[in-house]
């Protein structure tokens, strides 16, 4: 029988997606009232008057909600947290007349159509008492404090002394601007209001459990009164890790008006909540004459909101990736008048590794050593932050394969035809955690031998439906067509939120676990009904093609289970973390190499080639895994050269909240791009030996491009994004 | 968007001169409808001109007529445009996306509005959108803003690529005004902001562009449209240059240089071009032309880079036009 794990299985939900029959949260077809949010036009101050009369009188308007009429019970409730709330006080919509950031929701208009609601919102007259916007991260660095952050990995050795004694040193500052998630599907919530006062909520979320937790905390409905569903998510990248305000709004309106209500955010509103924060890194690195890394200090200051302390794991990466005895790590936060940042694809890792990999490149050049050789020289095979071995680490094989594929040594020179065009090569190391969270699943088999496996996890476009079906098919011993994997429903067994690249590891291991239980179950039933086989050892039984095989005899699952009780056909399973994760550290790794061209007159930077070679344990589906790598790499290109959330220094307002002026990379920006995996055996990371790949590909890419620009031009652009004017003016 | 009255115009409607006065014309809608959704444009009445017979592209003895309702895509790919006016083909195809070009019309392209961040955001002051409210771009983000012909009240740019090529080709615009035809040279269509940035152009209410006339000279041998932007497709020009040359024995017989992304209108100075006629087609002279063409350029902070960039872009475009690859 053909094994599914390791196959380039087509997406099982592909036909639904390409035919448009996949129902996303805004595709629910009940009759809905439509909600539209009016946002503040100032960053700081208070609302002194709010006249909604013209809006109320407008055709089709069914209700308007503001701080003036928010039900008292919502003001008195205190739990607006969700499972991923950082320390602090979560934002409470319409709580009072205070304005905490520009773009804050200040009124909700509900009408028969979206167009009516949107236009009516523009008829609301708002009078503010405006206070001065105090600026972005850079203007507020004096308020940076480590009191608001968790402690990074412990310092080790004596950095100061080792840095002083180093033969070569660099001290540099690197800046990263704010980035927004921009999933293709905007956030949407559709709430169906039932006669008994219960609601069914279709939410764009990376884990329905988070929406449920939030709704219960805010609205106090009780577990039997709320069901949250999310069959499909059109990309999220972290933007759906926390419930966003459309969930509150649609639910509030549905409960107050006792009607079905839908709220879909506009593209501009997709810039009115979380983002990858702007950060500033200060790097100090020193090495010996032969290029041995001696001392490393990484200090990062990041922005957060005035009401929550959003933190990431940023500087720890600098203590992890290379062998270094003397390390100093510092991480601080500065509040700015903005909404709270939010995890975005490889949160913290992207930022920390960006600064580290640029600094490593600078130090290698100081020492006169090829950047690839420098990295090999300082390779480390255990986790120095935690003082543990890795579950596996085939990064060296990534270096070797990437070098070969890319042709690292075959440096091109500028062509005679285009003397203004400079070519450069750059590289970086990337890494991401291989985590596993507890997860639960249930399995049932029907009389036809069809299996339904349920879990409250999500598929954010990553391929959860597909890889879980593959795992189940192999672990049960049935064709993949016999598996239906269902997700995105709070009625299903609990799952961790889909994030952290841990879904394959966590839910996949739980699926493998429940399948194993099923095999034991079916073997028991078989033995019970076949006295001849009472003494058969489980390991001597073969499970394949939907059959139990023993001693050259074949018994179909369906046939055996006819003699089982209904209860026996339903199996639940909770998968906990495994032992290996406490004694070992699990990480996936990659090496990325890029070629850039820089037009030295016009400053235009292009990336004709990107090659990524990753080590991520067992690859369940090379097709979806490659998709994830490529998507992440393209985003890395965007991060390096394109993306910048532009916050006006006077008004504190994001000024490019659209696809015309917030430049995500487009097809034309992507030329020759390649991703592949090296073999990596791992029997400790989780029962599948698989590491997540959703985030890995973006880590390091921006530094590889920055390093390649230096190789081409001799200019170090220590900021992101790197724009053509940076080339002209440096 | 604000509720509006919708009518579909037929040719008969054009004979009455009052009917059109108070309406906003809708053609492809790629810009107008967006602006209405954002609340930037709030017309009370829309007249859909999509059915009017101005979608033809016709060759005639003295040149080519581009119907105002022909789409940007049909225009760019028309054989006469590709062969005779390749600078226009290249300019159009550098703009927007194929979906937008399939929908957007030539007349609408001329009348598209600026992409200034503050113009688009009704929460922000903007003299163009709300006269007298102030300009937030002058001291704010102005990376995409003008360096030439600005005023204290507005530093917005005209965002079109097509118009830059049309300016270089010295097209003429045919306008129906109160039942009569008016022909306007291309450089008189758009205006500089001055004290009235709310006015993008010199058309009067009720004026309807019927077609654009291209003169015979298409510079099909020596041309370039160089567009510099923040990504390789689907971005407005930071700086663009339409360069057309006629060269004989190394001497410039005719030269046209129009700039996009630097002013409230495509920037072209006939007197500067004249100065170089008869001179050697050399990088040195191209540099000198560039200096003269952007004389008086002024940056506002984040757009300062455009000053050196546009000079280099002009020289590159002229050299590329001179030495087609």
């Amino acid at each position: 029988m053909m094994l599914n794990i390791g196959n380039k299985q087509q997406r099982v939900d592909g036909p639904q997606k390409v035919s448009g029959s996949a129902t996303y949260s805004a595709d629910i077809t009940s009759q809905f009232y439509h909600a539209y949010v009016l946002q503040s036009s100032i960053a700081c101050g208070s609302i002194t008057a709010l006249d909604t009369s013209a809006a109320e009188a407008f055709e089709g308007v069914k209700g308007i909600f503001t701080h003036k009429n928010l039900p008292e019970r919502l003001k008195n409730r205190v739990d607006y947290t969700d499972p991923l709330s950082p320390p602090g006080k979560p934002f409470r919509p319409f709580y009072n007349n205070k304005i905490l950031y520009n773009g804050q929701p200040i009124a909700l208009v509900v009408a028969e159509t979206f167009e009516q609601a949107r236009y009516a919102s523009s008829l609301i007259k708002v009078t503010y008492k405006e206070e001065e916007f105090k600026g972005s991260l850079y203007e507020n660095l004096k308020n940076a404090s480590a009191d608001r952050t968790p402690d990074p990995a412990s310092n080790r050795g004596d950095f100061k002394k080792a840095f002083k004694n180093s033969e070569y040193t660099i001290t540099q500052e690197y800046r990263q601007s704010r980035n927004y998630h921009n999933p293709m599907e905007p956030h949407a919530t559709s709430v169906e209001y039932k006669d008994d006062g219960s609601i069914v909520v279709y939410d764009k979320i990376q884990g329905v459990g988070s929406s449920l937790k939030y709704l219960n905390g805010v609205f106090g409905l009780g577990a039997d009164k709320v069901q949250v569903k999310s069959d499909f998510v059109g990309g999220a990248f972290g933007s759906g890790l926390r419930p966003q305000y459309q969930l509150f709004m649609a639910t509030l309106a549905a409960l107050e008006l006792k009607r079905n209500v839908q709220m879909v955010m506009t593209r501009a509103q997709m810039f009115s909540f979380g983002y990858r924060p702007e950060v500033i890194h200060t790097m100090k690195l020193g090495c010996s004459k032969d290029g041995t890394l001696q001392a490393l200090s990484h200090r990062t200051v990041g922005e957060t909101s005035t009401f929550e302390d959003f933190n990431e794991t940023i500087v720890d990466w600098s203590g992890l990736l290379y062998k270094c005895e003397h390390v100093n790590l510092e991480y601080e936060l500065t509040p700015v008048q903005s909404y709270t940042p939010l995890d975005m694809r490889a949160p913290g890792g992207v930022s920390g590794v960006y600064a580290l990999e640029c600094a490593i490149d600078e130090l290698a050049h100081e020492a006169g050593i090829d950047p690839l050789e420098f990295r090999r020289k300082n390779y480390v095979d255990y986790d120095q932050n935690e003082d543990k071995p890795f579950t596996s680490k085939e990064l060296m094989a990534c270096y070797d394969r990437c070098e070969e594929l890319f042709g690292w040594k075959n440096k091109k020179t500028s062509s005679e035809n285009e003397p203004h065009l400079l070519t450069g090569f750059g590289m970086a190391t990337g890494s991401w955690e291989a985590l596993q969270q507890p997860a639960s699943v249930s399995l049932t088999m029907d009389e036809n031998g069809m299996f339904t496996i349920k879990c409250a996890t999500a598929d954010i476009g990553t391929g959860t439906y597909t890889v879980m079906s593959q795992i189940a098919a192999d672990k049960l011993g049935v064709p993949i067509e016999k598996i239906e994997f269902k997700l995105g429903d709070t009625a299903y067994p609990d799952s961790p939120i889909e994030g952290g690249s841990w879904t394959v590891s966590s839910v996949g291991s739980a699926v493998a676990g429940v399948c194993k239980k099923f095999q034991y179950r079916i073997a028991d039933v078989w033995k019970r009904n076949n006295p001849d086989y009472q003494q058969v050892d489980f390991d001597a039984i073969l499970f394949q093609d939907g059959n139990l095989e023993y001693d050259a005899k074949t018994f179909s699952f369906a046939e055996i289970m006819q003699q089982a009780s209904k209860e026996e056909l339903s199996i639940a399973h909770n998968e906990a973390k495994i032992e290996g994760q406490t004694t070992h550290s699990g990480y996936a790794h990659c090496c990325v190499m890029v070629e850039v061209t820089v037009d030295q007159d016009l400053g235009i930077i292009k990336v004709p080639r990107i090659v990524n070679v990753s080590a991520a344990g067992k690859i369940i589906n090379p097709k979806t895994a490659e998709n994830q790598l490529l998507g992440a790499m393209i985003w890395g290109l965007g991060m390096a050269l394109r993306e910048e959330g532009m916050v006006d220094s006077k008004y504190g307002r994001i000024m490019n909240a659209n696809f015309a002026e917030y430049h995500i990379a487009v097809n034309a920006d992507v030329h020759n791009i390649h991703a592949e995996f090296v073999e990596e055996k791992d029997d400790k990371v989780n029962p599948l030996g698989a590491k997540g790949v959703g985030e890995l590909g973006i880590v390091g890419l921006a530094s590889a491009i920055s390093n390649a620009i230096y190789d081409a031009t001799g200019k170090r652009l220590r900021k992101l994004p790197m724009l053509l004017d940076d080339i002209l003016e440096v | 968007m604000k509720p509006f009255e919708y009518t579909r115009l037929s040719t008969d409607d054009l004979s009455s001169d009052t009917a059109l006065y108070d309406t906003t014309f809708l053609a492809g809608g790629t810009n107008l409808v967006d602006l209405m959704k954002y609340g930037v444009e709030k017309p009370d009445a829309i007249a859909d001109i999509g059915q009017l017979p101005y979608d033809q592209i016709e060759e005639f003895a003295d040149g080519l007529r581009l119907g105002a309702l022909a789409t940007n895509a049909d225009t760019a790919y028309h054989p006469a445009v590709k062969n005779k006016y390749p600078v226009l083909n290249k300019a159009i195809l550098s703009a927007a996306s194929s979906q937008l070009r399939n929908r957007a019309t030539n007349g609408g392209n001329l009348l598209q509005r600026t992409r200034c961040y503050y113009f688009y955001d009704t929460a922000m002051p903007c003299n163009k959108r709300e006269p007298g409210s102030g300009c937030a771009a002058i001291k704010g983000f102005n990376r995409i803003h003008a360096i030439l012909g600005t005023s204290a009240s507005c530093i917005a740019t005209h965002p079109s690529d097509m118009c830059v090529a049309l300016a270089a080709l010295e097209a003429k615009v045919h306008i129906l005004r109160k039942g009569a035809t008016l022909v306007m040279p291309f450089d008189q269509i758009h205006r500089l902001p001055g004290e009235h940035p709310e006015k993008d152009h010199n058309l009067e209410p009720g004026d309807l562009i019927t077609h654009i006339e291209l003169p015979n000279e298409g510079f099909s041998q020596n041309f370039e449209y160089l567009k510099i932007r923040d990504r390789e497709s689907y971005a407005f020009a930071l700086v663009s240059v339409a360069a057309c040359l006629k060269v004989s024995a190394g001497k410039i017989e005719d030269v046209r240089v129009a700039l996009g992304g630097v002013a409230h209108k495509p920037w072209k100075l006939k007197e500067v071009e004249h100065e170089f006629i008869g001179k050697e087609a050399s990088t040195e002279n191209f540099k000198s032309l560039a200096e003269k063409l952007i004389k008086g350029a002024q940056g506002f902070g984040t757009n300062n880079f455009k000053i050196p960039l546009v000079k280099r872009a002009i020289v590159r475009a002229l050299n590329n036009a001179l030495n087609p690859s």
Side-chain angles (χ1 to χ4, degrees), chain A residues 599 648 653 659 664 725, chain B residues 118 121 143 231 312 316:
Chain A
D599 186 317
D648 185 275
R653 190 168 173 90
F659 279 163
I664 58 173
D725 30 324
Chain B
Y118 301 92
D121 186 343
R143 177 174 171 75
R231 62 184 161 195
R312 296 172 189 191
R316 176 74 63 81

Side-chain angles (χ1 to χ4, degrees), chain A residues 667-709:
Chain A
N667 275 336
D669 293 318
V670 181
H671 301 278
N672 189 342
I673 182 166
H674 179 82
E676 69 175 55
F677 297 93
V678 295
E679 185 84 10
E680 186 175 67
K681 292 220 174 352
D682 194 324
D683 58 5
K684 297 185 185 69
V685 67
N686 55 49
L688 295 167
K691 299 175 180 175
V693 293
E695 300 171 270
L696 182 62
I698 192 173
V699 184
L701 213 139
S703 8
I705 292 178
S706 178
N707 297 338
I709 290 170

Side-chain angles (χ1 to χ4, degrees), chain A residues 41 118-119 420 599 601-602 606 642 646-648 651 653 655 659 663-664 668-669 671 725 728-729, chain B residues 1-3 37 117-118 121 123-125 141 143 228 230-233 238 305 309 312-313 316:
Chain A
S41 60
R118 175 157 69 175
Y119 181 64
H420 53 272
D599 186 317
D601 298 335
L602 306 179
K606 293 188 181 183
R642 304 279 179 266
M646 296 162 57
V647 179
D648 185 275
Y651 297 98
R653 190 168 173 90
M655 293 315 303
F659 279 163
H663 298 125
I664 58 173
D669 293 318
H671 301 278
D725 30 324
L728 296 178
E729 289 178 358
Chain B
M1 61 182 74
K2 185 179 161 191
K37 288 180 187 171
Y117 319 109
Y118 301 92
D121 186 343
M124 291 285 107
F141 287 115
R143 177 174 171 75
I228 299 169
D230 274 329
R231 62 184 161 195
E232 292 184 46
S233 172
L238 291 167
F305 73 97
L309 178 62
R312 296 172 189 191
R316 176 74 63 81

